[in-house]
Amino acid sequence: MSSYVSDWLNHQLVLSTKIAVPSKQFANGYLFGEVLVAIGWLSPDKFADMRNSSTSIARLENFVIVEQALRANNLQFDRKVSIPLIVTEARGAAADLLLKIKNMKAAQDNPPPKPPPPSTTSVRPKEFKRAPMTDWGADDFFLK
């Protein structure tokens, strides 16, 4: 797991356990729930329905809750691909989802700045004003 995600999990978020091997620790989905509660994407009431168990029923119920929270926050999440990889403890699957969560949370917290409003003044004048030409052809050179 990259140190970027590891530092975020172990130092910025307050989880029930220190994260060393995310592929094993996140396999049942319970710690995903803790992460989502810590960043404010999952209510504590929904998290209370999650179980820290390795049974297939508990894993399925946990990932249903996690998926709902991710979809509510517009995170692109393919459950048919991601969940089997995470549950089978595939290397990097949990870290990949954690990185997506972290990046989406950072984007929500720090939206890009709005462009400045259009300028009300321009370099060009609205009208070109010239003194009227009354003596066409008269020139000082010929008058001398």
Side-chain angles (χ1 to χ4, degrees):
M1 176 172 61
S2 72
S3 62
Y4 180 67
V5 175
S6 177
D7 289 342
W8 179 61
L9 291 172
N10 291 322
H11 301 294
Q12 293 179 7
L13 298 181
V14 179
L15 301 179
S16 63
T17 183
K18 185 173 173 92
I19 306 302
V21 184
S23 60
K24 290 184 181 186
Q25 291 174 299
F26 283 88
N28 67 358
Y30 184 79
L31 286 178
F32 279 115
E34 280 192 26
V35 168
L36 295 175
V37 167
I39 64 174
W41 286 7
L42 184 66
S43 70
D45 296 335
K46 282 282 197 184
F47 181 67
D49 295 339
M50 297 180 78
R51 292 181 286 167
N52 194 3
S53 174
S54 60
T55 64
S56 60
I57 298 292
R59 288 180 180 197
L60 181 62
E61 291 172 353
N62 289 348
F63 277 108
V64 166
I65 294 169
V66 167
E67 180 186 6
Q68 290 171 353
L70 295 177
R71 294 216 185 273
N73 287 286
N74 299 322
L75 186 81
Q76 298 298 324
F77 177 71
D78 186 7
R79 68 180 177 153
K80 292 182 180 181
V81 174
S82 298
I83 293 176
L85 290 174
I86 293 169
V87 169
T88 58
E89 300 175 7
R91 183 176 180 191
D96 182 49
L97 183 56
L98 289 167
L99 184 61
K100 286 181 183 179
I101 292 170
K102 180 175 178 13
N103 290 339
M104 179 63 81
K105 180 63 178 167
Q108 286 178 349
D109 290 346
N110 302 318
K114 293 181 180 177
S119 177
T120 57
T121 61
S122 70
V123 177
R124 256 180 120 154
K126 293 185 179 189
E127 285 184 40
F128 182 73
K129 296 187 178 183
R130 177 183 351 187
M133 295 179 64
T134 57
D135 54 348
W136 280 81
D139 194 2
D140 292 340
F141 179 75
F142 293 111
L143 294 176
K144 289 183 184 180

